[in-house]
Amino acid sequence: MDTDRDIRTTPRGFHCNLCNVNLANQSSLDEHVKGRKHRTLSGVRTTRKAQEEHSLFVSGFNRGTAQTDLVDYFQKFGDIAEVIMDKDKGVYAIIQFSEKDSIQAALSQVEHQMKGLKLRVKPREKKEFKKVQKKKPDFKNLQELLEKLKPMLCETDSVNAQMQCVVERFQLGENEKKARGLLIQLLHEVFTEFFPDSQILPFGSSVNTFGIHSCDLDLFLDLENTKTFQARAKSTTQQAADGCSDDVRSEDSILSDIDLTTASPAEVLELAAAILRKCVPGVQKVQVVVSARLPLVKFHHRELDLQVDITINNRLAVRNTHFLQLCSGLEPRLQPLVYTIRYWARQKQLAGNPCGAGPLLNNYALTLLVIFFLQNAEPPVLPTVENLKQLACEEEECVIEGWNCTFPSLSISVPPTKNTQDLCSLLAAFFSYYATFDFASSVISVREGRALPVTSLLCHAEKNEEEAMEASKPFSQAPKLGPLNILDPFELSHNVAGNLTDRSQHSFQKECQEAEKYCRSLQYQRKSSKGKSWGLVRLFTPHSEGPRHGAQERPPEKELSIVLPFKPGVLPKALRSQLSLAGDGFRLLWFQGACDAVAKVFQNILKCGPASPPKSLAVEDGDTDDSADTSAELNMSAEHTDDDDGISSSGGAIPQGKARGGAKRPLTSESSDTSLSPREKKPRLGSGPKPGAPCWRWSQSHAVWAGRRKVRRELVKDTDTRPEGSNMELEMQVTQHIVDKEPVLQDPLEFKVQARLVGATQSTRVILKVRPISDNKLFFQDFFHFLEVFLPKMVDTLMEKGVKNA
Ligand code: ATP
Ligand code: MG
């Protein structure tokens, strides 16, 4: 079976070659194989294989040969399903037959001739199916690029000059701008033919002053006026039909095929794609992408070697481009800072997803990080968006899709900054600012120029709904919160870094920490008299082993620990409100909730009982928390009071620090000051009252992990298709069934679970360390692998329901 071939065992579990993913254990592997990704790729591979087996490779015909000529010639061997021509050069074709036998028929003919030319006909090459990997800039490329830049940078006298040099080297040249302008003009002419009164507006890096040679051209096709035109034309046509007018202009227009007010974006974009294909010279690889956040049509311009993206609902992006232009006009240091930081981020593989969406920062998000840092410099280099709004005059007022986008159109309206720091020190300050930034509890607001506590957005959706109703504004969603939160300056419900993974956020901060360290060295600040690399050159040196990832940095705690990430999205409304009120202390409150859920999973769902008390505390101390804590981590179990276990009144083993008998210390938030700037807000989480340091000792007498899936299937009889861990009552029944039907384990499995809260400069999460305390180590491995998958899902389910109600 193909699936068997795809999977290989590794020292840490399994690896799926088809999808290129690692899987920790058998149950993750089973889930993966049944999952959408694996099934889709398997399906694609089967189709490709069938296509290969049904196809011939043909060459030797005339360049101008049409597909129909090939069909005419080859159909004598059997029905033809498809002919794929080599479009660029027209020198070969793939002929795909409906039946395999046709291949043999064609190949058995000794010679093929078409229009007097001898054809070469052979079986289509069979290629190993590989998932198309997104192009990643590899180390060699990055290193080569830097080698070219190095002599220029090393020759300059200061880091300030090096930064200016980076701008000169990368910025769009006048000719490039002109060529882009001509293409825009051409597109305008073509589109207005079909969409009367439409406009085509550039936005993004081509015009926001941060563009580099290879950057794409982002365009907004504005059809607002065309809609008006169409409505007017319709009524005129109606009048003409009624005999009142003879203007029937719209009859001839492409607009007679589509109603712009009711057509879907996909329909409009398909139309735009057809116009591009047919009417614009040099256009190739036209593709409509409807799955993007904002659907678009993209194409490549051959002569200009330029990637062009056209969107139709993107007025906000045009406006945020003007905002970036204004910031550049206000502050000449912004451009060299952005170019340098963009280049640094690219070299470290932190930013720029080569093929669109992905888990890295995009250039827009990165630019906002620079602006935010400058708003928070001392004294501020850039004003906040709110300040700018106050400085605008009445004519500059601008509201797009309900969002206030007002700011002055000219930089002269804004008072200059008093900050005189040079570029070299601002760059170093940028790295140190983000090296210690508390990403996990902050939301970066360029609008307000300060970090908002993440908790203030937990109730955002509800607040927005109320505000929207009061002001009859469009209701907006809460931003998608993640490991790095950057609110768009105008569309306040949009986290522009919402695509980032834990790993990429962690890498970004790690790199900032390393860069900060380097910027303190003499090599950064002083030109080498011996001609060695100095200043930016060393900062730009890529890592030879590819991007640095958080996972590599993590301590070996992963070995036997289970991570529960903070997921505000799954929390019930009431808890979100409580967390929001708790301000900085939200972590402790959430930690408490997560611990309650963990206890419930062991006690109520997996029906664990309390383990026998430790024989001697001295022995236990030896194996308590020996993990290497960093100062950035809040270790709630650091005092080792946790082994002083108490048994909760409900029968579970839920000690709360020294508070025995399940009594819980009240949780108070550490600070109600939710308006501190990140610099003031260095992690202070260790201070203030602590809740208990949860450490549970459980005992399990049944193999409740074994055969769960089968029992679940039997119990629901395929009526409940929800995945494992998403239905509390069902999981309780499954455990009960195993307890009732299966024999007890010869030796009960006794184990300890210790909870630790991590936060501040790392993502907020609970780390549960699980260890056996009985000799039953064999079963422990199986049980642990089961818990790795089951526990986080079950905790999410309980938290979603509200642990108390669950
Ligand atoms: P480059 O193309 O050089 O990577 P860019 O700024 O043009 O940089 P794009 O990803 O092409 O980046 O996006 C074009 C523009 O669309 C941005 O400049 C910005 O105005 C807007 N934009 C991009 N991503 C977002 C986002 N996540 N949220 C809001 N606006 C965005
Ligand atoms: Mg762009």
Side-chain angles (χ1 to χ4, degrees):
M1 230 174 91
D2 273 354
T3 303
D4 296 337
R5 224 183 51 202
D6 293 333
I7 309 298
R8 70 184 151 83
T9 44
T10 67
R12 296 184 64 99
F14 301 93
H15 181 83
C16 173
N17 297 329
L18 180 63
C19 310
N20 194 20
V21 289
N22 293 323
L23 302 142
N25 51 45
Q26 185 66 45
S27 81
S28 317
L29 175 64
D30 295 345
E31 291 271 317
H32 170 76
V33 172
K34 278 189 280 164
R36 202 170 61 160
K37 181 174 178 181
H38 190 84
R39 281 189 292 129
T40 310
L41 283 176
S42 299
V44 173
R45 177 173 57 190
T46 310
T47 315
R48 292 263 176 92
K49 200 167 161 211
Q51 283 170 343
E52 280 172 3
E53 288 169 357
H54 285 73
S55 303
L56 287 175
F57 179 91
V58 180
S59 59
F61 47 80
N62 251 328
R63 275 182 182 233
T65 303
Q67 265 185 12
T68 44
D69 296 336
L70 289 165
V71 173
D72 285 347
Y73 177 78
F74 280 98
Q75 67 188 358
K76 62 183 173 217
F77 302 109
D79 273 353
I80 293 178
E82 202 179 351
V83 175
I84 305 163
M85 303 276 296
D86 146 37
K87 271 195 207 133
D88 281 343
K89 301 200 183 91
V91 291
Y92 71 84
I94 305 283
I95 314 285
Q96 191 188 322
F97 290 96
S98 306
E99 303 293 333
K100 247 185 188 173
D101 295 347
S102 316
I103 303 274
Q104 277 320 317
L107 288 174
S108 57
Q109 184 169 313
V110 184
E111 198 175 289
H112 295 270
Q113 280 211 357
M114 213 173 98
K115 295 189 179 164
L117 289 175
K118 197 171 154 198
L119 300 182
R120 278 182 296 283
V121 178
K122 53 181 190 173
R124 187 175 174 184
E125 203 179 306
K126 302 212 173 19
K127 286 191 189 148
E128 175 77 15
F129 177 78
K130 279 211 186 95
K131 184 179 158 228
V132 181
Q133 297 285 340
K134 289 196 170 174
K135 264 190 280 159
K136 276 194 198 149
D138 65 14
F139 169 69
K140 224 171 119 212
N141 271 339
L142 298 171
Q143 189 63 38
E144 275 170 17
L145 252 172
L146 182 60
E147 285 302 322
K148 285 188 198 146
L149 194 63
K150 204 162 137 181
M152 210 158 84
L153 293 179
C154 284
E155 266 169 34
T156 54
D157 289 327
S158 62
V159 171
N160 295 346
Q162 287 189 329
M163 289 172 75
Q164 298 292 1
C165 204
V166 172
V167 178
E168 275 156 36
R169 164 69 183 75
F170 291 108
Q171 75 181 342
L172 282 172
E174 281 313 309
N175 285 343
E176 282 169 292
K177 286 189 198 160
K178 239 183 240 163
R180 286 168 188 241
L182 286 172
L183 178 60
I184 296 171
Q185 204 177 326
L186 173 65
L187 291 172
H188 174 75
E189 278 163 23
V190 173
F191 278 126
T192 44
E193 276 295 311
F194 296 96
F195 297 122
D197 299 344
S198 63
Q199 284 197 64
I200 190 129
L201 302 167
F203 66 96
S205 55
S206 298
V207 284
N208 68 10
T209 75
F210 305 119
I212 61 168
H213 297 306
S214 57
C215 74
D216 62 357
L217 172 62
D218 301 292
L219 297 172
F220 167 50
L221 174 62
D222 184 353
L223 296 172
E224 248 350 270
N225 292 341
T226 315
K227 282 184 194 161
T228 318
F229 172 90
Q230 189 178 39
R232 219 177 34 230
K234 253 193 199 159
S235 72
T236 319
T237 313
Q238 186 58 46
Q239 283 170 17
D242 297 344
C244 312
S245 162
D246 12 272
D247 182 1
V248 285
R249 199 155 58 115
S250 71
E251 285 280 285
D252 311 326
S253 152
I254 197 169
L255 291 182
S256 51
D257 298 338
I258 190 166
D259 183 346
L260 289 176
T261 46
T262 55
S264 68
E267 285 169 320
V268 179
L269 289 169
E270 282 298 349
L271 202 52
I275 296 169
L276 287 167
R277 281 191 196 104
K278 294 209 173 111
C279 309
V280 187
V283 161
Q284 55 176 199
K285 299 182 186 157
V286 182
Q287 196 189 349
V288 174
V289 184
V290 276
S291 57
R293 189 175 79 92
L294 294 173
L296 72 157
V297 53
K298 57 198 311 156
F299 69 86
H300 184 259
H301 193 276
R302 201 171 28 226
E303 280 75 28
L304 299 181
D305 191 15
L306 181 64
Q307 181 60 41
V308 185
D309 289 353
I310 303 181
T311 39
I312 48 170
N313 293 316
N314 217 354
R315 215 172 286 281
L316 279 163
V318 176
R319 191 65 184 159
N320 68 38
T321 298
H322 288 162
F323 166 67
L324 297 187
Q325 285 168 338
L326 175 73
C327 291
S328 248
L330 285 175
E331 181 43 63
R333 286 169 290 180
L334 179 63
Q335 208 192 21
L337 266 172
V338 170
Y339 272 85
T340 306
I341 290 163
R342 278 190 180 193
Y343 189 60
W344 163 80
R346 206 183 114 165
Q347 291 294 96
K348 303 292 178 188
Q349 301 188 36
L350 301 170
N353 296 297
C355 299
L360 305 183
L361 276 169
N362 67 32
N363 278 326
Y364 177 61
L366 196 57
T367 310
L368 292 181
L369 282 177
V370 181
I371 292 178
F372 181 74
F373 153 71
L374 292 175
Q375 290 173 331
N376 284 277
E378 203 52 64
V381 179
L382 281 173
T384 68
V385 178
E386 272 304 316
N387 291 151
L388 288 172
K389 186 179 133 198
Q390 309 304 330
L391 295 168
C393 60
E394 221 172 284
E395 297 82 70
E396 287 161 338
E397 254 175 48
C398 171
V399 176
I400 298 172
E401 292 170 23
W403 301 109
N404 194 309
C405 304
T406 306
F407 52 81
S409 41
L410 298 174
S411 47
I412 199 144
S413 328
V414 185
T417 169
K418 294 195 173 66
N419 186 308
T420 55
Q421 276 176 279
D422 69 353
L423 285 170
C424 173
S425 64
L426 278 175
L427 182 64
F430 170 88
F431 293 127
S432 60
Y433 185 74
Y434 288 114
T436 54
F437 192 86
D438 184 356
F439 283 109
S441 70
S442 320
V443 176
I444 290 172
S445 165
V446 175
R447 171 126 218 139
E448 298 186 38
R450 69 185 179 103
L452 311 174
V454 76
T455 45
S456 68
L457 286 154
L458 292 177
C459 297
H460 189 90
E462 291 102 55
K463 258 195 266 160
N464 265 349
E465 200 167 9
E466 284 161 23
E467 278 169 20
M469 281 202 298
E470 271 171 35
S472 39
K473 271 195 342 193
F475 165 60
S476 66
Q477 292 290 309
K480 179 184 160 202
L481 296 173
L484 203 161
N485 303 302
I486 309 172
L487 282 193
D488 187 85
F490 308 106
E491 192 184 358
L492 299 177
S493 62
H494 175 49
N495 173 13
V496 303
N499 59 321
L500 248 70
T501 56
D502 236 7
R503 269 183 167 206
S504 28
Q505 181 274 332
H506 190 66
S507 304
F508 176 74
Q509 194 151 36
K510 271 265 158 239
E511 290 297 347
C512 286
Q513 287 160 1
E514 284 199 2
E516 184 213 11
K517 231 188 281 165
Y518 169 65
C519 288
R520 279 193 260 125
S521 71
L522 277 181
Q523 284 157 340
Y524 170 64
Q525 291 157 18
R526 266 200 226 148
K527 182 174 177 172
S528 159
S529 53
K530 295 180 187 148
K532 286 193 179 158
S533 298
W534 69 283
L536 296 187
V537 179
R538 285 182 166 230
L539 197 64
F540 289 159
T541 306
H543 294 296
S544 52
E545 285 134 26
R548 186 180 278 288
H549 282 317
Q552 292 161 5
E553 304 290 308
R554 295 246 161 101
E557 76 197 4
K558 256 214 140 254
E559 289 298 306
L560 282 180
S561 61
I562 297 170
V563 176
L564 308 175
F566 175 56
K567 288 188 194 160
V570 302
L571 303 177
K573 195 171 155 183
L575 181 57
R576 274 191 281 151
S577 310
Q578 280 175 7
L579 293 177
S580 149
L581 290 174
D584 272 3
F586 81 94
R587 282 195 182 94
L588 299 182
L589 198 51
W590 171 72
F591 180 50
Q592 180 79 70
C595 287
D596 285 351
V598 169
K600 229 170 188 157
V601 175
F602 282 113
Q603 188 177 333
N604 298 10
I605 297 176
L606 296 178
K607 309 210 180 293
C608 296
S612 42
K615 289 180 198 97
S616 118
L617 271 181
V619 174
E620 282 294 310
D621 274 345
D623 80 342
T624 38
D625 194 7
D626 50 7
S627 64
D629 292 323
T630 66
S631 56
E633 290 178 357
L634 167 64
N635 184 352
M636 301 304 298
S637 53
E639 292 162 46
H640 301 309
T641 54
D642 28 273
D643 282 333
D644 186 8
D645 306 338
I647 310 295
S648 83
S649 50
S650 55
I654 315 175
Q656 295 291 323
K658 294 197 173 178
R660 280 185 167 267
K664 292 176 190 174
R665 289 187 200 179
L667 255 183
T668 42
S669 66
E670 295 157 11
S671 163
S672 56
D673 178 5
T674 55
S675 60
L676 291 173
S677 81
R679 219 172 311 123
E680 294 163 287
K681 204 170 41 165
K682 284 277 152 51
R684 289 177 291 110
L685 288 162
S687 60
K690 286 180 182 178
C695 176
W696 303 265
R697 297 162 58 88
W698 299 104
S699 170
Q700 179 53 262
S701 315
H702 290 83
V704 289
W705 59 91
R708 278 191 86 84
R709 217 166 275 148
K710 193 166 160 228
V711 174
R712 192 180 306 106
R713 267 201 309 270
E714 278 168 14
L715 285 175
V716 295
K717 303 211 167 36
D718 288 336
T719 51
D720 188 342
T721 51
R722 279 178 288 177
E724 178 180 44
S726 52
N727 181 340
M728 193 184 84
E729 289 76 21
L730 177 60
E731 295 300 342
M732 281 162 75
Q733 282 174 33
V734 173
T735 309
Q736 195 58 53
H737 186 94
I738 297 175
V739 169
D740 294 344
K741 300 270 157 54
E742 302 298 326
V744 287
L745 296 172
Q746 217 168 15
D747 294 319
L749 179 64
E750 297 201 320
F751 58 98
K752 189 168 82 170
V753 181
Q754 194 163 24
R756 193 155 63 100
L757 176 63
V758 174
T761 54
Q762 299 188 29
S763 318
T764 303
R765 60 190 192 275
V766 175
I767 296 177
L768 297 170
K769 192 178 270 186
V770 190
R771 301 210 199 155
I773 47 175
S774 62
D775 291 336
N776 210 341
K777 302 231 159 78
L778 187 65
F779 280 143
F780 179 77
Q781 282 300 329
D782 291 345
F783 183 48
F784 178 76
H785 286 322
F786 157 72
L787 284 180
E788 262 187 311
V789 180
F790 182 80
L791 192 62
K793 281 193 208 155
M794 210 62 246
V795 167
D796 274 355
T797 305
L798 295 186
M799 298 282 280
E800 217 169 312
K801 269 190 139 181
V803 186
K804 296 244 156 43
N805 308 328

